[in-house]
Amino acid sequence: MTRALRLGVLTPSSNTALEPLTTAIVGGLAGASVHFSRFKVTEIALDAAALGQFDDSNILAAAQLLADAKVDVIGWSGTSSGWLGFDRDRRLVERIRERTGIPATTAVLALNELLAIRKITRIGFVTPYTQDVQDRIVGNYRALGIETVAQRHLGIRVNHDFAGVEPQALLELMAQVVPARPQAITTFCTNLRAAQLAQEFERTHGIPLLDTVSTTVWGMVRAAGRSPADITGWGELFQWT
């Protein structure tokens, strides 16, 4: 009999995409359930007010609420360390473990682990963000030794509006990145309705899609000691070990 698995997910308060997508992905994993805790995030920008939304104290308070549900792992399903720096997520998962005793991961740390597993050094980005935020993300990946060979972004600042981007529009943006032949393309934002596009996109273009809602699930399942390979229909990344 499969042991029950409780996955705890930290969610930006204005995000409406990641909860239904995460629930659907986890639905294919026997004995698993997913539980959410929110903290306030309403805009993505580089000014002090927007950056202050990601203060660890806010995220830790939400993590402690998930700990009350005795989840097996906590995942931060957000991409803020893309522009704040990857060390922010490394410190966050350490603090979550110290505060709750529960293992933790993040969308971006899991994405970076997937890139390392396949030795990916050429990537394509599709995001809803503004140019300055996009530039920070590209720069942080360059410092990691990963070249952004093509990118598209939508110039949106209001987090709630990201989920309003139609999946067909995302497919068109992803297709525009394909001619540069990246080793993988990432839809880098957990409030995009993109995770469900992976199988169709990969079949059409032969390039893996690493959506950050999906990378969060992949990282949580691994951290909890289960195999992500049991999840099918959501892209090839779940078969990567």
Side-chain angles (χ1 to χ4, degrees), residues 21 167 170 192-200 209 211 214 233-234:
L21 284 168
L170 295 173
L192 292 177
R193 293 178 290 145
Q196 79 284 3
L197 303 175
Q199 207 164 30
E200 174 187 351
L209 176 63
D211 177 75
S214 296
W234 291 88

Side-chain angles (χ1 to χ4, degrees), residues 97-112:
R97 291 185 188 114
E98 290 170 358
R99 186 74 63 90
T100 67
I102 297 170
T105 187
T106 76
V108 174
L109 293 182
L111 170 62
N112 293 353

Side-chain angles (χ1 to χ4, degrees), residues 169-191:
L170 295 173
L171 275 174
E172 291 170 4
L173 291 172
M174 290 150 59
Q176 292 171 23
V177 174
V178 166
R181 302 312 298 174
Q183 293 167 280
I185 291 173
T186 178
T187 38
F188 195 88
C189 171
T190 62
N191 201 19

Side-chain angles (χ1 to χ4, degrees), residues 52-210:
Q53 298 169 118
F54 300 102
D55 183 276
D56 275 4
S57 62
N58 301 325
I59 308 176
L60 288 168
Q64 286 184 292
L65 296 177
L66 285 173
D68 290 345
K70 302 189 185 304
V71 296
D72 296 290
V73 61
I74 294 173
W76 160 221
S77 194
T79 53
S80 54
S81 72
W83 56 92
L84 294 174
F86 305 133
D87 282 344
R88 287 288 292 266
D89 271 6
R90 295 187 189 103
R91 289 195 299 270
L92 176 64
V93 298
E94 290 173 3
R95 294 189 70 188
I96 289 173
R97 291 185 188 114
E98 290 170 358
R99 186 74 63 90
T100 67
I102 297 170
T105 187
T106 76
V108 174
L109 293 182
L111 170 62
N112 293 353
E113 188 177 356
L114 285 157
L115 297 175
I117 284 172
R118 288 302 178 94
K119 298 181 171 55
I120 290 170
T121 58
R122 291 167 47 83
I123 195 169
F125 276 97
V126 172
T127 86
Y129 303 134
T130 54
Q131 182 69 61
D132 53 353
V133 173
Q134 185 91 346
D135 289 344
R136 285 274 189 97
I137 296 167
V138 170
N140 283 329
Y141 275 93
R142 184 186 306 116
L144 202 62
I146 296 172
E147 178 189 3
T148 301
V149 297
Q151 57 172 301
R152 293 291 184 274
H153 64 281
L154 293 169
I156 304 172
R157 174 177 175 134
V158 177
N159 190 66
H160 184 270
D161 294 349
F162 299 161
V165 180
E166 292 297 328
Q168 183 59 42
L170 295 173
L171 275 174
E172 291 170 4
L173 291 172
M174 290 150 59
Q176 292 171 23
V177 174
V178 166
R181 302 312 298 174
Q183 293 167 280
I185 291 173
T186 178
T187 38
F188 195 88
C189 171
T190 62
N191 201 19
L192 292 177
R193 293 178 290 145
Q196 79 284 3
L197 303 175
Q199 207 164 30
E200 174 187 351
F201 179 81
E202 292 170 357
R203 184 170 54 247
T204 302
H205 298 286
I207 299 174
L209 176 63
L210 306 181

